[in-house]
Amino acid sequence: MSSASNKSRRGQDRVDSRLSRDGRSSRPGSRVQLRPVSTTEAYTHALGVAYLAHLLQPRQRRLQHVSVPAQQLARSSTTSSINELVKDLSLVRDSKSTKLPHGFMADLERRLQGVLTGKERRQEFNDAAVKRTFAVFYTAFTEQNFRRQMEKDRRVEDLVLIFFSSATKELQKGKAPSDDGWKLMVDRHVALFVRLLSTTLKDHDWGRDRPELASRLTTLESKLLKHDQDLAAASQRAGGAGGSTVEVEVPPSYEARDMPLALIVAERFGVSYDQVQADINRNRPVWTPKAALADLKSYQNLVNLYSPAVLRPDDFDLDEAYEAWRKTEGSELSQMMLAVLRTDSELTKSSDASTRSTSAAGDGSRKTTDPATLTSPLTREPPDMSELRLQDGSDNAHEEGISNHFTFFPPDPKAYYRCVLAQVLTHDLNQAKAQQGESQGDADPPPLLSKDSAMLLQEISMRWRIPQWTRLVLFLDVIREKFVDQDITLDDLDAAFEYVNSVSVDSRRASVASLSEMSPFLDRNKWSMADFALMQRVLSALHDALLRDLYDILQHCYEPKPPSIGPVMYVLENHIRSDPAFAIGQDGDARFEAELSEGLRQKALDMYSVHLRRSVPDNQDEWGFVHVVELGKTILKLAERIQKRYKKNPEIMGVNPLTILLETVLPAYEGDAGQLIERIMVVAKSHDEEIDIAEGFDLYRELVEIRRVHMEALPGVAFEFSIEDLVADFAWRWIALMDEKVVGWVDQAIRHDDFKVRSGPGQEPPSDDDRHSTSVVDVFRSFNQSVDQIVQLNWADELQHAKFMTAMSRTIGLGVTRYCEIVEQRFSKEMDRLTPEQEAAASRSRQEKWMQLAKEAWSNKDKIEPFQFFPESLVKLNNVEWAIYQIDRLEGTVGVDACANVVQRHEPPITQRRPRPSKYVFTIKIVEAEDLKACDMSGYSDPYVVLGDEYQKRLAKTRIIYASLNPRWDESVDITTTGPLNIIATVWDWDALGDHDCVGRTSLKLDPSHFSDYMPREYWLDLDSQGRLLLRVSMEGERDDIQFYFGKAFRTLKRTERDMTRTITDKSLLNRGISISSVSTLFSRGSRPSMPAMPSQVDITNALRPLFQYFDDNFAIMKQTLTDAAMVMVMMRLWKEVLATIEALLVPPLSDKPSQQRPLTEQELDIVFRWLQLLFDFFHAIDEETGVSEGVPMDVLKSPKYHEIQSLNFFYFESTESLIRTSERMATATANREQQQQQQQQRNRLSAPGALGGSGGGTLAIGGAAGLVGVPTNRRTKSIMLSRNLGTMKKAKEEKRKEAQADPNDDIILRILRMRAEAVGYLRNRSRQKERLAAAAAAEMIVKQSLAGGSLGGNGGAGIARGPPLGGILRR
């Protein structure tokens, strides 16, 4: 404990030092204060007690030479003699002070062994006869049952009797019956045994705790040696034949130097030795044992007569308590009187009559304990002060009776005892301070009371009959006085309480010996009422003083190194407030709590003012966010320090320093911070300067942390200002900065990228994680860092956070688009490069080119070299594939769906929204063309499509389909517009030599008003030359929506990946005219030779061997660079091309026109399906050893198109009539399902706006085959919102697969019927029927939109710039 608490104990005007005790539970009793006692009076009575203690001490003995005649000493009866000798040992049998201590038997056994082995130092134990006697006793002593009984009873008389019996048996052996000389020897041997017992007690310092036992043993020894024989003399040891040396008592000394207690009194009271000696000489005639005996008898009479001069039943709450005190007093008085009587035999004779009269006088209403029946100790045992309980004062009659009739009793024993106690304690404290000043190092502090002082006080309390509890209460009262006067420290106060509670915590507290074995200090029912009342006053005064200390200490609690409250709180809680005698008033704690709270608030404001002056400059132009942040951090650090400091005890007497600090400082800081921020922004704006964004973010983080602390500490108090509104501009500036730099990030990343595979460790091949280059990593690192900068702010306003993420997603989409654009341009340039042969041919003349073609045709080369892919090109595909996974992860980091839900939840109703300019994204899919014009000498064309706007700006270009008049591209392009847009589609024929030829043109008007239902539509557009082109068009509104932006970025990546994959597959499959059709020339129309016999399996397999070899060569090149996922993706794309080629061999495309394609024979069909199986196994690539597939997964290979081709086996050779019936049945079932779906959708959209319901009127301009495929669908296929991440794409594909399985159609039958001339009429009727249904549905939708007042208006049709009217193609 620290002594700093003493320095703070002074008068305080903040705290009322006299807390009310009106509500205290107290017992009635005397409230008379102790009479004042002078130091001289206390000294005189204390000296008298010390002198009396000296007189009552047992006389010392010494050896003296005398002439003693050698004669036989006779004893009448040995047995009766020993019974008389040990009679005194049985008087107080039940007294614990007369029992041997625990562990005594073991030490006695060791001493007996020393006697028997000759190791005992004393000369008198070396005699052979003594050793024989002790040996006999040792045998009886070590007997198990006897030893166990002795350990339990610990009675000395049992040991003496057993030794007497053993000595008698041993010494009378061989003696004549008439020889009594051995009896005297028995006494001497028993005396030696008693002396051994006494020395054992002294060696272990047990005699101090049991002075009565030691005194009685000494008396017994002197009685056994009544003939003054010298036990050490050889003649006496031999049988008592004679000797000249005897032990005699030393006459009492009256010198003060021989009186230890008198010297202690002189030292404590500061009296000189001469003065003490003079006082003793002057009072010797009065201070006699006879006077002491008279005092005890008079006091006993007062007790027996219930005199008001002593304690009476009225002074106790319970009669049992009084009886217990009276019984104890009677027993102790008898012992004390017996001790006085033993000092002078003459007093014994004169006291018999008075003792009997005293006993008779006490036989009134209460029965007096007979002293003869008590086991009286020979001297007073040192009392345990922890069991003292003092009563308060006494009345005048008591004072008068004591002063007139008593010698050693003072007039007011309690007052005199308190005075002596105070004097003794003062002396010991001064001595302790002097020792601490002289000592060096970490020496243990001295005790409160020294051993000498404790011995003096216990002697005084015994002679003045101060009860045990009274001694302790008076001790605490003196401690209280010295603590209030700052004479002792808080450590001393704690030690005092530990002392009185007999709890030895450390060496300091345990240095004062316990005054009794059993402490009644906690048993308050045995106290007198006056002592209980005094204890209450002591605790109350100490409580007030400690509260003053606690208040002063807590005034420094916000300082860096305040004094600890632990010692004060420990004493308060463990010694004061937990005491049964303490009770606080009704408003005592409340007033202290209020005063302490007010004081702490003022200290908190002072501390905040100091930090404010330190953190914020005086000049306003120098203010910055850093000062606000620094001040906030200082406050948080202070709060954390206070929280850590008072973590175990956050509330102190009902006051929480941390809560008061936060309640006081936080509102002050918030108000100042708001004003500082506004002022800083105004100054920056006036100087046309921008505050650094990083400073704004640091400010936000600090303010958010302070707001968090504010909400936890002050849940019912609102924060002073809106942090988000004040600092949101910095987030928008960060997003704007990102928007400005994103294109530069992408360009710089690509500029520094060599697009090479990063080598793995050592010579190991690179893993998939190393197969992408640095540019995509740098780009997405920039994206993630920018997003994390906002995410890590933990923006509290969810709507603002969602808007931040929406804006950043738009920027990320721009970066992704830019990256895909540049990478795809470079990729296309690398893939479209000229081979060395082509570069040489470019320099030739036209005639030389034709000659080279003729030579190649004549040589008919079978071996086609694989395309030499650049590793850089394949790395670009890896980059796009890696970017897809990164954008998917980034979507999860941003929380796209959660942000979208927040924005949607906070949007106003539709009727209250402001109109805003809209952008629309048209997705045009160039599906296929049919019946194109042949531009090559081979009768085929190599078509590709170019889309442009009305200003001749190229918008998109498809890949080249070699040698086909019915090509299928399945390529998509996104076109963003704010209004109607005319697009022109031109079909070109690619030529290796010369300019490309135009196959035909058509146009289409994209008007957002025609797509108000946002449903996809398909259009067959007639070319201006020959044939027609199928386009699938869908529209989505480009919204300021995070899901839209991420979906657009994701779809851009997927489209780039698909286009690059398709380019690779084109080089792998269709380069230089290589295709499956090249190995199927056997079935070329018009030149097919006859097939008399079915080809063997080897022939069928060999027909595909060049293709397989070409695939393997290309796969080997790609496998070195592409990742596993990209490789599987390329193979999947190749598989789709394979299925399309196989399908083209079997049936013509879907149309309402008859086809010139002839059906295959059964042998030809069987060969085609064998090829399909061979290709299936090749792409599945099962390892022959492990049986594990290393190619395209089975579920991907068995796509809906694969199952559709397999279903041709069931219908290919059916009759036309059967096919027509099956088609009608399937068409009817499909129509019924669609009708049910429409009815269900109408029920679900009863309350929906017309602009959002149903299908549009896109079929009004449908011509040609629109009757077969032109009906609008309600499903938004492949929209941006359905393609915004991997999860939504996977879900959409799964739904498409399930829909294909659950909704079979008759398209495959209609394609077979195109090759049947007799089915022309049925195809025409089906087309007209579907046209009527489509026209009716479109008209119904237009009516609905007109009634609902759609936001886009219009007639719902998608205008076509050129082409015949509805049904024109069918009529043609």
Side-chain angles (χ1 to χ4, degrees), residues 64 81 158 236 520 576 1035 1148 1200 1283 1330 1347:
Q64 182 176 343
S81 175
D158 295 338
Q236 296 301 325
I576 305 298
M1035 186 195 74
S1283 305
K1330 288 194 174 184
L1347 294 176

Side-chain angles (χ1 to χ4, degrees), residues 613-628:
R613 288 192 296 270
R614 292 177 181 175
S615 301
V616 181
D618 295 334
N619 187 359
Q620 296 185 5
D621 293 337
E622 298 177 1
W623 290 355
F625 285 173
V626 64
H627 301 122
V628 182

Side-chain angles (χ1 to χ4, degrees), residues 63 160 268 766 949 1184 1251 1366:
L63 296 177
V160 173
R268 273 40 177 184
D949 60 9
E1184 296 180 356
L1366 177 64

Side-chain angles (χ1 to χ4, degrees), residues 1319-1339:
V1320 174
Y1322 176 74
L1323 292 175
R1324 184 181 301 111
N1325 293 333
R1326 280 291 305 273
S1327 299
R1328 292 176 179 176
Q1329 180 183 5
K1330 288 194 174 184
E1331 282 185 353
R1332 289 194 298 269
L1333 292 175

Side-chain angles (χ1 to χ4, degrees), residues 1146-1159 1208 1211-1227 1268 1305-1327:
L1146 297 175
V1147 292
L1150 185 64
S1151 177
D1152 61 339
K1153 294 181 180 181
S1155 175
Q1156 300 300 320
Q1157 182 175 342
R1158 296 180 182 180
L1208 283 171
F1211 305 108
Y1212 204 78
F1213 298 107
E1214 288 284 334
S1215 64
T1216 302
E1217 292 79 4
S1218 177
L1219 290 176
I1220 291 175
R1221 287 194 301 270
T1222 303
S1223 175
E1224 289 178 347
R1225 185 170 60 254
M1226 296 176 67
L1268 297 177
N1305 54 55
D1306 60 342
D1307 289 351
I1308 195 66
I1309 297 178
L1310 295 176
R1311 295 174 69 177
I1312 296 175
L1313 290 176
R1314 284 193 65 194
M1315 296 184 294
R1316 311 281 180 93
E1318 61 272 21
V1320 174
Y1322 176 74
L1323 292 175
R1324 184 181 301 111
N1325 293 333
R1326 280 291 305 273
S1327 299

Side-chain angles (χ1 to χ4, degrees), residues 35 50 65 173 316 360 556 635 678 728 827 864 1188:
R35 57 164 287 178
H65 180 77
K173 290 181 180 179
F316 293 87
H556 304 279
I635 292 175
E678 292 178 358
F827 178 83
I864 305 298
V1188 179

Side-chain angles (χ1 to χ4, degrees), residues 587-848:
D587 60 343
D589 282 349
R591 280 195 290 141
F592 177 77
E593 181 180 345
E595 293 290 342
L596 180 58
S597 299
E598 183 62 28
L600 291 181
R601 287 191 182 93
Q602 186 60 43
K603 287 294 181 180
L605 285 176
D606 296 342
M607 185 65 63
Y608 172 73
S609 300
V610 172
H611 289 303
L612 180 63
R613 288 192 296 270
R614 292 177 181 175
S615 301
V616 181
D618 295 334
N619 187 359
Q620 296 185 5
D621 293 337
E622 298 177 1
W623 290 355
F625 285 173
V626 64
H627 301 122
V628 182
V629 172
E630 181 181 355
L631 180 59
K633 288 183 178 179
T634 302
I635 292 175
L636 290 181
K637 288 181 180 178
L638 176 60
E640 291 175 0
R641 186 166 65 245
I642 298 302
Q643 184 180 25
K644 183 178 180 180
R645 183 177 296 164
Y646 301 107
K647 182 178 181 180
K648 294 183 178 180
N649 298 301
E651 283 198 1
I652 304 167
M653 302 297 292
V655 178
N656 191 320
L658 177 61
T659 301
I660 291 180
L661 174 69
L662 297 178
E663 290 176 350
T664 306
V665 173
L666 287 184
Y669 170 78
E670 293 163 12
D672 293 341
Q675 296 178 7
L676 286 171
I677 295 171
E678 292 178 358
R679 178 61 184 173
I680 292 169
M681 290 183 172
V682 170
V683 172
K685 187 176 182 180
S686 64
H687 291 80
D688 197 18
E689 298 176 351
E690 281 191 346
I691 303 174
D692 187 61
I693 296 176
E695 292 186 11
F697 286 168
D698 292 341
L699 174 66
Y700 178 78
R701 294 187 186 95
E702 192 63 31
L703 292 178
V704 166
E705 180 63 20
I706 291 179
R707 183 172 60 186
R708 182 191 64 80
V709 176
H710 175 102
M711 298 306 296
E712 293 178 358
L714 311 174
V717 180
F719 199 77
E720 189 71 19
F721 58 91
S722 175
I723 304 175
E724 286 70 25
D725 293 342
L726 204 59
V727 194
D729 181 63
F730 292 93
W732 287 118
R733 284 174 53 195
W734 174 260
I735 296 172
L737 182 64
M738 176 185 175
D739 193 63
E740 294 175 2
K741 294 184 176 181
V742 64
V743 175
W745 292 344
V746 174
D747 292 346
Q748 186 177 5
I750 294 177
R751 190 179 306 114
H752 291 85
D753 192 3
D754 55 4
F755 292 98
K756 292 184 178 179
V757 175
R758 294 174 292 174
S759 60
Q763 301 298 327
E764 297 180 2
S767 62
D768 282 359
D769 293 336
D770 298 327
R771 291 178 182 266
H772 52 268
S773 60
T774 59
S775 60
V776 68
V777 176
D778 294 340
V779 169
F780 274 92
R781 182 185 295 116
S782 301
F783 291 163
N784 286 316
Q785 290 176 353
S786 301
V787 171
D788 289 343
Q789 190 69 29
I790 300 298
V791 171
Q792 291 175 1
L793 291 176
N794 295 320
W795 203 266
D797 191 322
E798 61 176 8
L799 180 58
Q800 288 183 349
H801 176 76
K803 291 181 178 180
F804 294 158
M805 293 296 105
T806 301
M808 296 189 76
S809 65
R810 176 182 173 277
T811 302
I812 292 172
L814 294 176
V816 169
T817 302
R818 177 66 176 175
Y819 185 81
C820 291
E821 179 183 353
I822 297 177
V823 168
E824 191 171 12
Q825 288 176 358
R826 293 191 176 191
F827 178 83
S828 299
K829 185 177 180 181
E830 294 165 358
M831 297 298 291
D832 293 340
R833 72 187 184 279
L834 296 176
T835 63
E837 294 81 0
Q838 291 174 339
E839 291 179 354
S843 61
R844 298 170 185 165
S845 64
R846 185 177 183 85
Q847 184 177 1
E848 292 174 342

Side-chain angles (χ1 to χ4, degrees), residues 556-605:
H556 304 279
C557 69
Y558 299 133
E559 297 177 0
K561 294 183 179 180
S564 174
I565 66 168
V568 177
M569 292 303 301
Y570 179 84
V571 175
L572 272 174
E573 298 297 333
N574 292 277
H575 298 318
I576 305 298
R577 301 178 73 88
S578 62
D579 195 282
F582 177 80
I584 192 64
Q586 295 180 355
D587 60 343
D589 282 349
R591 280 195 290 141
F592 177 77
E593 181 180 345
E595 293 290 342
L596 180 58
S597 299
E598 183 62 28
L600 291 181
R601 287 191 182 93
Q602 186 60 43
K603 287 294 181 180
L605 285 176

